[in-house]
Amino acid sequence: PVRLLPLLRHRRIELGTIRVSGADIHLWRNAKGVGNWQHLLVSSPASGSAASPVPPVGGLILDDATLEFAAASGTIRLRRWQLQVGALHPGRPFSLRTRFILQAPKLPPAGVPIRFDAKNLRAQTAPLDLAAPHWTLIVASAALSGALQFADAGGRPRAAGAIALTVPSVRGLIGQWGLKMRLPKDPAALGALSLSGRWRLRGGELRIAPLTARLDATTLAGWAQRSGGAAAGWTFDLHANRINFGNYLPPARKHPKPLKLPLAMLRALR
């Protein structure tokens, strides 16, 4: 709805809160990689006149929606999607909150609950600039939080911020994600995990420093870095206080396979 008072007093159009309930959105990409939504993004030919500014919006609420994206690799579905965006005024911060159940080919049939919340967001498109002083992301039982500052300076994106991760039980999270893997025989192994650090992205190079992580009784401290370019790779310098590798051994197989020595390689060494 259009707000009447700004229109009468200032001849300015302002929209109230837009609410959509029960939306069922279907997106797909064909074998050529063309999506059924792309024609909506094609701009009309320039008419020579300046584009009209987007009027302020009191907010956006999406309630109990479903979003389905189908491609050759499989179908991704967001169920029970809730989205709430605060008032949108040019140059002013806004808030964003969303939650949904994610269903994908390699996830459990019931899906994985995801929730995201950010306050005091600032964004502009020309040039692209985004600031999120505090955000939280909860995926199943894993909780991520941090801060983000992103800017695209002449086609060279730069970003920096902080990140923190807490997982009550890595073993439990593996089950929540439906991952098939052999777990350590020690039931106390792969318990609580925490991680914190500050990061920056410059010229395609990602650096996390300082970086602190703790898994079970082991604490790691130092830094990690991933280089950019064609020969991208990780470099790290982490120091651990202690670790018992025996706690992370998988259960012994009932019928272990016989050990096969690489005889051909050993003969070649003579």
Side-chain angles (χ1 to χ4, degrees), residues 11-55:
R11 296 184 180 181
R12 183 178 69 235
I13 295 177
E14 287 190 12
L15 301 177
T17 300
I18 301 173
R19 180 187 292 270
V20 180
S21 298
D24 196 359
I25 306 168
H26 295 267
L27 305 176
W28 51 262
R29 191 189 297 273
N30 62 21
K32 296 182 179 180
V34 180
N36 65 335
W37 67 91
Q38 290 185 236
H39 68 282
L40 300 175
L41 305 179
V42 178
S43 59
S44 59
S47 60
S49 59
S52 301
V54 178

